[in-house]
Amino acid sequence: MATWVTRLDDGDGSGPRLAVKDCIDVAGLPTGAGCPAVTEMAEPAENDAAVIVSARAAGARIAGKTALTELCWSANGVNHWQGTPVNPRDPRRVPGGSSSGSAVAVATGEADIGFGTDTGGSVRIPACCCGTAGLKTAFGRVPVKGVYPLAPSLDTVGPLGADLAGVEAGMRLLEPSFRVPAWEASLPVGRLRPAGAEADPAVDAAVDAALAASGVPVTSVTGPDFREALYAAGVIIDAEGFRSNASLMPYLDQLSPHIKRNMERGARLRAGDVAAARTVKDEMTAALRALLADYPVLVLPVLAAEPPLLGERGFPMTILTTPFNLAGLPALSLPVPGDVIASVQVVAESEETALAFGKIVEEAI
């Protein structure tokens, strides 16, 4: 199946079965990053990535390595070379990426926990598409040693689970002392409605219904223009992605068309382009942290509409997720019920606070 690159014997242990995105080193296995050129040259990893070391120490059983978007460089989860994991919520739709295989493995019960990476939404988006929970961790909290880089100034590793208990268990594989506190009912919650990134009314309604069911009062908050953040994140990711993958320039013809375009754009970007994007990054960080000073939890959808159909183009899948990568903030994806495939995104200063509020919503729905 396209979900898995390599399946491993789970063994006889009682720890959780862990699906590992194939951009994270597992000793003895090559790391292919969903790319034929990388896979062809890859040797078996000599050591586990730091996150696998901690997961094994906590008792995890490595179920295998999972498929992903080529080089982690797209949010739709499609990989024509490796095969695209099937979205279990709706096989007509993309599974979301780039951590597509890890989300599908968890959603189908083939793994208890998945590890993915999130540079512009790549844990939260497949979690939303496939109906699982997923957590983008704060930049720098989880070590990325032994993880194939895309944009090192934005890359993070985070867990996916069938529910928030699975996400919390995944965080304990990364940090054994991780615990979620009880929700502080006095904390104000902001329902973020960013400029330039209006969601489909049905998606907004599903998110708002879940928030209403929680019984926690929320205040509508106008956010900064997310279109600027989307463009700036694209510049930073393409510039850093080109540098991370510069060794592949002689193999451009082996790369998929969109990766080739990304590489060529990254090569054309100048220092002034990147500096301007980093200015937007700093401004977005300041704006979001100012909002969090007033509202310690911000909530909004993960996707502005239902996941696109396979082959559909032009849908900005990362417009509601990349701003929080730019700001380095943790962000949780939690599926909500309704007639559409949708998830609420919970943003806070800490993973603990995001999960604490997420549990209130999850218990209500």
Side-chain angles (χ1 to χ4, degrees):
M1 291 177 63
T3 305
W4 298 93
V5 176
T6 307
R7 292 299 304 266
L8 297 177
D9 182 2
D10 285 347
D12 300 323
S14 58
R17 297 166 300 155
L18 177 63
V20 180
K21 184 178 182 180
D22 189 30
C23 63
I24 300 172
D25 285 350
V26 172
L29 297 177
T31 298
C35 176
V38 173
T39 299
E40 185 177 310
M41 294 183 285
E43 298 288 340
E46 293 185 5
N47 302 296
D48 284 332
V51 294
I52 302 302
V53 172
S54 64
R56 289 192 199 272
R61 295 174 289 157
I62 309 301
K65 302 194 79 176
T66 54
L68 65 155
T69 308
E70 188 173 359
L71 299 176
C72 307
W73 214 339
S74 172
N76 60 21
V78 173
N79 189 317
H80 294 295
W81 168 72
Q82 192 175 58
T84 300
V86 177
N87 184 334
R89 288 291 307 273
D90 185 345
R92 302 171 304 156
R93 300 184 182 276
V94 301
S98 59
S99 307
S100 51
S102 290
V104 171
V106 169
T108 56
E110 296 180 84
D112 302 308
I113 298 167
F115 277 176
T117 61
D118 193 314
T119 303
S122 288
V123 165
R124 290 159 288 163
I125 289 170
C128 176
C129 293
C130 297
T132 74
L135 179 65
K136 173 219 172 300
T137 54
F139 181 77
R141 176 162 186 170
V142 175
V144 294
K145 181 181 179 182
V147 178
Y148 193 98
L150 174 56
S153 71
L154 302 174
D155 293 344
T156 61
V157 175
L160 299 104
D163 51 23
L164 294 189
V167 170
E168 186 176 357
M171 280 302 297
R172 283 198 292 274
L173 295 181
L174 298 167
E175 293 183 9
S177 62
F178 185 85
R179 294 294 182 274
V180 178
W183 169 249
E184 294 183 34
S186 62
L187 291 179
V189 176
R191 170 61 165 94
L192 185 61
R193 300 183 188 277
E198 293 76 17
D200 182 283
V203 168
D204 262 343
V207 167
D208 289 335
L211 295 174
S214 74
V216 176
V218 298
T219 301
S220 185
V221 178
T222 300
D225 193 330
F226 276 15
R227 290 169 297 188
E228 296 179 4
L230 179 66
Y231 180 80
V235 170
I236 293 169
I237 290 171
D238 284 355
E240 294 189 16
F242 167 71
R243 289 198 296 271
S244 295
N245 294 285
S247 63
L248 298 181
M249 287 300 286
Y251 309 96
L252 277 182
D253 289 343
Q254 294 184 42
L255 306 181
S256 57
H258 81 277
I259 295 295
K260 184 177 179 180
R261 288 194 297 270
N262 292 348
M263 288 283 285
E264 290 171 341
R265 181 185 186 232
R268 290 194 304 269
L269 288 167
R270 298 292 180 255
D273 301 320
V274 178
R278 295 201 180 281
T279 296
V280 174
K281 178 181 186 294
D282 292 342
E283 292 170 349
M284 183 60 56
T285 300
L288 291 173
R289 290 191 178 274
L291 286 174
L292 285 169
D294 293 328
Y295 300 95
V297 170
L298 298 171
V299 289
L300 69 163
V302 171
L303 289 177
E306 285 200 275
L309 298 171
L310 289 163
E312 186 178 345
R313 302 190 183 281
F315 178 69
M317 296 189 73
T318 61
I319 193 166
L320 297 180
T321 56
T322 51
F324 307 110
N325 292 85
L326 292 181
L329 293 165
L332 172 69
S333 176
L334 175 67
V336 297
D339 296 329
V340 295
I341 297 174
S343 291
V344 61
Q345 184 174 194
V346 182
V347 182
E349 288 280 5
S350 73
E351 292 81 352
E352 289 86 349
T353 299
L355 279 165
F357 179 73
K359 282 187 172 185
I360 296 297
V361 177
E362 184 181 63
E363 289 167 5
I365 60 177

